[in-house]
Amino acid sequence: MTNLRVGVIGAGQLARMMTVPAINLGLQLKVFAENENSSAALAATVVGDYSQLEQLQKFAETVDVITFDHEHVPIAVLEALEQQGKSVQPPSRALKFAQNKLHMRQRLQQLGLPMPVWAEIKTASQLADFINQNNGVAILKTPIGGYDGKGVRVVREAAEANDWFAQLDKFGGSLLAEEKVDFVRELAQLSARTPSGEFAAWPLVETIQANGVCSVVKSPAPNADAALIEATTKIAQTVSEGLGVTGVLAVELFQTRDGGVVINELAMRPHNSGHFSIEGSVTSQFEQHLRAVLDLPLGETKATAAHAVMVNLLGTDDQNDFVSAYPRALAQFPQAKVHTYGKSPRAGRKMGHVTVTHQSEVEALKIAEGAATVLLQG
Amino acid sequence: MTNLRVGVIGAGQLARMMTVPAINLGLQLKVFAENENSSAALAATVVGDYSQLEQLQKFAETVDVITFDHEHVPIAVLEALEQQGKSVQPPSRALKFAQNKLHMRQRLQQLGLPMPVWAEIKTASQLADFINQNNGVAILKTPIGGYDGKGVRVVREAAEANDWFAQLDKFGGSLLAEEKVDFVRELAQLSARTPSGEFAAWPLVETIQANGVCSVVKSPAPNADAALIEATTKIAQTVSEGLGVTGVLAVELFQTRDGGVVINELAMRPHNSGHFSIEGSVTSQFEQHLRAVLDLPLGETKATAAHAVMVNLLGTDDQNDFVSAYPRALAQFPQAKVHTYGKSPRAGRKMGHVTVTHQSEVEALKIAEGAATVLLQG
């Protein structure tokens, strides 16, 4: 019997949610976790340090392809695995752009893609100039190491970045400054690509953030006309082909007042903006990711309902106990699909999500937010 | 943090498919398997002999509720667990009807439910009389131990059951004779009930058998009018309340020429006729079963699409290798949801299934059968 074995480095909720399509499709999923009590513990077969080549080599020998729950594995380690003939998807040549926001901007510029005004910043005086030229404010980012709002600052004076300038080597020798985009909303274009080059995009979604973390996703994005959808799909395809991305790619976008879009961030893995697809699409982002990294044909991405709305369960403190609220939440909202990740609670932490599919977007949002509210009381 | 722990006795595809909603809902699922290489191996935490009370006691101590992948655990063992205060769902008082088809017929008769003509048979002469009175043919069943067409014979002469009469003690001292129903089609009414008494039914489905094994399921059943649906839903509710069933109940029905229905078989667990619900219903039978046995509120059972069609992947020989056919099957049928159970192949064995949701029943069937055909070539 043929046995397709996928190895996932990282054992958070993304790896956890990959176990579902692995069970359905009869694939073998192995997880390389950092510790015993991970969100994907059910499938965690190895606990180790992902920065150690030797440990990953041993893990890689037991699977047909290596993929990721996060983007933090050192590129040198991945290159070494590739040189030994291991299939790493997405490959190191794509992931290096995900790991360095400055290199990402440089590459997207070469590809002619729409972006905010940006600049590489090496000195306080360069930063002061950038602020002056961009309405007195800059979004300053460390090229390396940021996620969910970390490693990002809104600065109006160059001096606000003195601590970062003092340790510039840690960030690769430069900072990245971007204009503060005057956006009307945020969008995300999810897609997947196989090593053979097959590409499939999901419907464009709107994402609503709270404190820099994704809070609500509406699929499809309200009032998105055909021209916008064509543009964002084309952007996703250009990015995935131009950067050599395989598996799921999320392109986070700002929509500006003139109706255009510029690229905010990229994620080369299943992404919070695609959780709706578990119930809201014929093929979920987790199934599509496994199919893509195994170079299997991609599944249909059509919506299963007129609307799907996802609301994140963000921890409020270290006492959240969603499961104790199940009796009330499930009784009040029998249509809600509740997902919890088995993580210990912490303020602001992504602990789970609720998705509702419905004919009406307003109703879907009401039900999903209602269920989330009750769960957060637990 | 509250932790809801479900223990499943049996580790076949039903336990395997229960792992999916357990992951989504953050429930802990533990499986008591008969051997290491089970279909639900991912969650198999104990390997043992389910007829040994002591082994089940130890397992039961680690979970909040015991439920089942099959109906074969001896009633005496379950009663002993219940006497020790363990929650067993469905309880032994319900399962004893599932384990003895004669007791089931007796109880359903008391409840006034529609059934084929039947009789308890202790002697060859009783059987000869039954055959004479029922158009020269009887469906003869061993009350204990049959499934998927095993323990069932079509007999026209009493002598055809001589071997069964010779070992009558093995079957509880009697056989069960039923008339050969002149049915136009087979239906199944799936439902779930909680220990607190909440009840929810899915849409009535049509099931098509091949060689006594379920082959195709159409949801909803074509041309089912409101009166029929009301009748079958009422039957399911009467059965589950009258027999004290909790969790998922499948009532298999024959539809007769006059449009009425009679009860064929019962299954007190998720059932092949409900696999369509994974994609075809807001709440799948596997999620509903976990919610029900934990006495959590039930989920909505509304259809997610106009039609869902499920086609079983029945092994053709001991060489089937579906996964090797994935590249062709998934490329040709991107809408098909393929499920394989990781079981070693054998002729007639349930190895997996394909579900397609679609606006058109004809298209759904075409796609599901097309995908199944390609997979069976692998």
Side-chain angles (χ1 to χ4, degrees), chain B residues 79-249:
Chain B
E79 285 174 343
L81 288 173
E82 288 168 339
Q83 276 154 20
Q84 289 159 15
K86 286 291 155 194
S87 175
V88 175
Q89 307 295 342
S92 62
R93 71 190 171 88
L95 277 168
K96 70 178 187 216
F97 296 112
Q99 290 191 5
N100 189 311
K101 293 190 170 117
L102 191 59
H103 294 170
M104 189 265 280
R105 285 291 179 214
Q106 287 160 344
R107 181 70 184 126
L108 297 183
Q109 185 114 320
Q110 288 170 352
L111 293 167
L113 290 164
M115 288 199 289
V117 174
W118 65 274
E120 180 175 1
I121 301 290
K122 289 177 175 290
T123 65
S125 111
Q126 285 175 335
L127 180 56
D129 286 350
F130 187 91
I131 291 171
N132 276 339
Q133 290 154 18
N134 288 282
N135 303 314
V137 59
I139 309 298
L140 194 65
K141 299 181 176 179
T142 62
I144 296 169
Y147 68 98
D148 276 354
K150 292 173 190 76
V152 177
R153 276 184 203 168
V154 183
V155 297
R156 290 188 162 78
E157 302 280 347
E160 292 174 58
N162 280 349
D163 56 331
W164 282 357
F165 283 119
Q167 47 180 338
L168 220 47
D169 281 353
K170 209 174 120 184
F171 308 124
S174 309
L175 297 175
L176 169 64
E178 297 175 359
E179 68 169 320
K180 186 168 190 294
V181 177
D182 181 27
F183 61 88
V184 289
R185 61 172 175 173
E186 294 186 65
L187 302 168
Q189 178 62 60
L190 206 74
S191 65
R193 184 170 167 270
T194 68
S196 298
E198 189 185 354
F199 174 84
W202 277 271
L204 178 69
V205 300
E206 178 175 345
T207 65
I208 299 163
Q209 326 289 318
N211 304 319
V213 179
C214 177
S215 165
V216 174
V217 173
K218 296 178 181 181
S219 172
N223 306 314
D225 61 23
L228 176 63
I229 290 164
E230 201 192 320
T232 59
T233 306
K234 184 78 193 128
I235 287 170
Q237 187 155 12
T238 305
V239 171
S240 62
E241 289 172 0
L243 277 61
V245 182
T246 55
V248 167
L249 167 72

Side-chain angles (χ1 to χ4, degrees), chain B residues 9 39 104 167 260 309 354:
Chain B
I9 301 179
S39 188
M104 189 265 280
Q167 47 180 338
V309 171
V354 179

Side-chain angles (χ1 to χ4, degrees), chain A residues 147-372:
Chain A
Y147 69 100
D148 276 354
K150 293 174 190 76
V152 178
R153 277 183 201 168
V154 183
V155 298
R156 290 186 161 80
E157 302 282 346
E160 292 174 58
N162 280 348
D163 57 331
W164 282 357
F165 283 119
Q167 47 180 337
L168 220 48
D169 281 354
K170 208 174 119 184
F171 309 124
S174 309
L175 297 175
L176 169 65
E178 297 175 359
E179 70 170 316
K180 186 169 190 297
V181 177
D182 181 26
F183 62 86
V184 290
R185 62 173 175 172
E186 294 185 67
L187 303 168
Q189 179 61 60
L190 206 74
S191 64
R193 185 172 166 269
T194 68
S196 298
E198 189 185 354
F199 174 84
W202 278 270
L204 178 69
V205 301
E206 178 175 345
T207 65
I208 299 164
Q209 327 288 319
N211 304 318
V213 179
C214 177
S215 166
V216 174
V217 172
K218 296 179 182 181
S219 172
N223 307 312
D225 62 22
L228 176 62
I229 289 164
E230 200 191 321
T232 59
T233 307
K234 184 81 192 122
I235 287 170
Q237 187 155 14
T238 305
V239 171
S240 62
E241 288 172 2
L243 276 60
V245 182
T246 54
V248 168
L249 167 73
V251 182
E252 296 182 84
L253 301 150
F254 293 126
Q255 186 167 27
T256 50
R257 293 198 184 278
D258 63 2
V261 291
V262 293
I263 297 174
N264 177 20
E265 305 263 3
L266 304 181
M268 299 182 188
R269 51 171 170 73
H271 186 254
N272 204 159
S273 63
H275 291 355
F276 79 90
S277 64
I278 296 174
E279 292 87 7
S281 172
V282 171
T283 307
S284 81
Q285 66 168 344
F286 299 102
E287 176 177 344
Q288 199 78 303
H289 187 73
L290 296 184
R291 290 165 77 143
V293 300
L294 285 162
D295 210 11
L296 288 171
L298 298 178
E300 191 174 74
T301 54
K302 222 171 68 178
T304 58
H307 298 277
V309 172
M310 187 229 58
V311 173
N312 265 349
L313 295 170
L314 298 173
T316 52
D317 53 48
D318 58 3
Q319 299 297 315
N320 295 120
D321 182 2
F322 305 143
V323 176
S324 75
Y326 276 10
R328 281 185 304 134
L330 301 181
Q332 269 184 268
F333 303 99
Q335 319 90 326
K337 303 319 293 176
V338 175
H339 298 252
T340 61
Y341 309 149
K343 291 159 83 172
S344 46
R346 200 169 66 212
R349 195 175 201 196
K350 289 177 181 174
M351 308 274 301
H353 72 268
V354 179
T355 299
V356 175
T357 56
H358 206 282
Q359 273 301 107
S360 147
E361 183 196 301
V362 173
E363 280 303 306
L365 181 62
K366 212 158 81 182
I367 296 165
E369 287 191 328

Side-chain angles (χ1 to χ4, degrees), chain B residues 55-73:
Chain B
Q55 293 186 24
L56 286 192
Q57 272 170 332
K58 265 181 78 173
F59 179 65
E61 276 164 25
T62 69
V63 297
D64 300 305
V65 59
I66 289 278
T67 190
F68 308 93
D69 168 272
H70 57 66
E71 293 147 336
H72 308 321
V73 183

